[in-house]
Amino acid sequence: MSFTSPSVEALVEQLMRLPTIGRKTAQRLAAYILKMPREEVEALAQALLAVKDRVRHCAICFNVTDEVVCTICRSPRRDHTTICVVEEPSDVLALERTGEYRGVYHVLGGVISPLDGIGPDDLRIRELVERVAPASNDPERAAHYPDGQIPRIQEVILALNPNVEGDTTAYYLAQLLKPLGVRVTRIARGLPIGGDLEYADEATLSRALEGRLAL
Amino acid sequence: MSFTSPSVEALVEQLMRLPTIGRKTAQRLAAYILKMPREEVEALAQALLAVKDRVRHCAICFNVTDEVVCTICRSPRRDHTTICVVEEPSDVLALERTGEYRGVYHVLGGVISPLDGIGPDDLRIRELVERVAPASNDPERAAHYPDGQIPRIQEVILALNPNVEGDTTAYYLAQLLKPLGVRVTRIARGLPIGGDLEYADEATLSRALEGRLAL
């Protein structure tokens, strides 16, 4: 069943292209948008286009930014010698939410996935290696940092998703980075907080055992 | 926590104005939109504006349409002597989904709600009365109908939501319409199909008893 207006139906179809939005939700959203003042709908449409027009990748970490360098890479209060490698900007968001991490990031833009035809060259791996082992003390590059100096990286923390592609990519990166004399670590895998041992899957439980710590 | 791009944050804020979309969903949508090709984002933005620019209310039933008269009111296969009164275009959608109803609709645009400052004059009640008891055989008006004639209404079915405002509006409409010599009915209230008598609330159960039918 569809609305009696092709324009409303077209909007429903467009909204359904977004993740987690099925036909019913799209219809509910369209019905709401129909009642919204035109200025508000315009603001939403403009915000959508602005994201495409203004957002670019940080020259250092490839996170999303409206400037040349993102707010995290520009901050003098962050530890610029520790890099946390993630797949996507939303992973940065998740880690920032913890309020625990004081280092900087490197957004790969995905993971190695031969099935999807994504190899190392499709990700920002070359750029990560360049951050860990800078080829030259390029003054233009140095100017991007809060203290005007290219930092010497001490540790690279791999925070990729715990699945086959994430594991493959982590292994590949570790092989590439370790010879450069940097500490390479990986975030722990184990039981989620509030999780129940009885209901944990075997893989998670094995990892939790493997990663046990002395008390 | 927020994305390191003000443009992305602005989009998140805009998306959060829509119903059922909280911050986390808005962030997930924004992350997806960031990766969408520009043409697709443009199509979405244009669909949003098109709804505001092109959608208007059907001259007969006030449902949404891109034309003067909606597809239901234009259809010669519908029974134009039976009007089902609903609050919103999304209610038309819900009723059409059943595939049971062959009559036409009248979209009130809301219900009487003194607390929200909505009185009978804020709804399309005058227009409903005009449909049931046409003041004159206006040829311009008659031309809107598939057979070029203003139909003589036999029955008005009130399909308003089962709550205080819906009940008040239904009562008000019944008082207004009955003297015009039209049959006024109201859709049944009772146990939802698949519902459990044991878990039904008292109001629903009372209504179900009240509306019992002979077998």
Side-chain angles (χ1 to χ4, degrees):
Chain A
M1 249 322 117
S2 62
F3 281 100
T4 48
S5 153
S7 302
V8 182
E9 266 316 297
L11 177 60
V12 169
E13 295 295 330
Q14 287 296 331
L15 291 170
M16 280 173 65
R17 309 182 113 187
L18 299 174
T20 76
I21 296 189
R23 179 167 295 276
K24 276 214 163 178
T25 307
Q27 286 176 340
R28 201 174 312 134
L29 292 177
Y32 183 87
I33 289 162
L34 272 171
K35 299 193 105 186
M36 272 165 76
R38 196 184 194 289
E39 312 85 71
E40 283 185 26
V41 179
E42 255 169 44
L44 172 56
Q46 273 158 16
L48 281 163
L49 296 174
V51 155
K52 281 290 141 188
D53 291 337
R54 284 211 284 270
V55 176
R56 40 172 157 170
H57 293 115
C58 169
I60 297 174
C61 77
F62 298 92
N63 192 359
V64 288
T65 176
D66 290 10
E67 320 275 332
V68 175
V69 175
C70 80
T71 46
I72 294 172
C73 286
R74 262 181 303 170
S75 168
R77 282 172 305 161
R78 307 289 298 220
D79 167 14
H80 291 266
T81 67
T82 304
I83 295 177
C84 180
V85 178
V86 295
E87 296 174 25
E88 301 293 347
S90 44
D91 299 327
V92 173
L93 205 62
L95 284 158
E96 287 296 289
R97 237 181 258 132
T98 68
E100 292 289 327
Y101 183 63
R102 305 305 307 154
V104 291
Y105 294 93
H106 191 87
V107 180
L108 284 184
V111 274
I112 297 170
S113 172
L115 281 179
D116 300 316
I118 300 170
D121 292 343
D122 301 309
L123 306 172
R124 285 153 206 139
I125 291 178
R126 201 172 38 81
E127 291 87 345
L128 175 62
V129 171
E130 170 65 27
R131 282 179 78 179
V132 173
S136 66
N137 207 335
D138 182 354
E140 201 193 315
R141 209 166 191 136
H144 287 154
Y145 291 91
D147 62 354
Q149 294 227 321
I150 297 178
R152 200 176 147 66
I153 307 304
Q154 304 296 325
E155 181 176 356
V156 175
I157 303 168
L158 303 175
L160 305 174
N161 285 319
N163 52 33
V164 175
E165 290 81 12
D167 287 354
T168 308
T169 311
Y171 181 79
Y172 180 87
L173 291 177
Q175 298 309 307
L176 213 59
L177 297 171
K178 273 192 213 154
L180 304 175
V182 72
R183 198 177 163 220
V184 180
T185 59
R186 156 148 219 186
I187 55 165
R189 274 101 64 93
L191 284 184
I193 305 304
D196 196 322
L197 197 133
E198 193 180 342
Y199 300 116
D201 63 286
E202 294 150 45
T204 301
L205 213 49
S206 311
R207 289 292 188 171
L209 270 173
E210 212 175 291
R212 67 191 179 278
L213 295 170
L215 285 173
Chain B
M1 250 322 116
S2 61
F3 280 99
T4 48
S5 153
S7 303
V8 181
E9 266 316 297
L11 177 59
V12 169
E13 296 294 331
Q14 288 294 334
L15 291 171
M16 281 173 65
R17 310 183 110 185
L18 298 175
T20 75
I21 297 188
R23 180 167 295 277
K24 276 215 163 178
T25 307
Q27 286 176 341
R28 200 174 312 134
L29 292 176
Y32 183 86
I33 289 162
L34 272 171
K35 299 193 106 187
M36 270 165 77
R38 196 184 194 286
E39 313 84 73
E40 283 185 25
V41 179
E42 253 169 44
L44 173 57
Q46 273 157 16
L48 281 164
L49 295 174
V51 155
K52 283 290 141 188
D53 291 337
R54 284 211 285 268
V55 176
R56 40 171 157 168
H57 293 116
C58 170
I60 298 175
C61 77
F62 298 92
N63 192 359
V64 288
T65 176
D66 291 10
E67 320 275 333
V68 176
V69 174
C70 80
T71 46
I72 294 173
C73 286
R74 260 182 303 168
S75 169
R77 281 173 305 160
R78 307 289 301 219
D79 167 13
H80 291 267
T81 68
T82 305
I83 295 177
C84 181
V85 177
V86 296
E87 297 175 25
E88 303 291 349
S90 44
D91 300 326
V92 173
L93 205 62
L95 283 159
E96 287 296 289
R97 239 182 256 130
T98 67
E100 291 289 328
Y101 182 63
R102 304 306 307 154
V104 292
Y105 295 93
H106 191 87
V107 180
L108 284 184
V111 273
I112 297 170
S113 172
L115 282 178
D116 299 316
I118 299 170
D121 292 343
D122 301 310
L123 306 171
R124 287 161 205 129
I125 292 179
R126 199 169 42 79
E127 291 86 346
L128 176 60
V129 171
E130 169 65 25
R131 282 179 78 180
V132 173
S136 66
N137 206 335
D138 183 353
E140 201 193 315
R141 208 166 193 138
H144 288 153
Y145 291 91
D147 61 355
Q149 295 226 322
I150 296 178
R152 198 175 150 68
I153 308 303
Q154 304 295 326
E155 180 175 358
V156 174
I157 303 169
L158 304 175
L160 305 173
N161 285 320
N163 54 33
V164 176
E165 291 80 11
D167 288 353
T168 308
T169 310
Y171 181 78
Y172 180 87
L173 290 177
Q175 297 309 308
L176 214 59
L177 297 172
K178 274 193 214 154
L180 303 176
V182 73
R183 197 175 163 220
V184 180
T185 58
R186 155 150 220 186
I187 54 165
R189 274 98 65 94
L191 285 184
I193 306 302
D196 197 322
L197 198 134
E198 191 179 345
Y199 300 118
D201 64 286
E202 295 151 45
T204 301
L205 214 47
S206 311
R207 290 291 187 171
L209 270 173
E210 214 175 290
R212 66 191 181 279
L213 295 171
L215 285 173

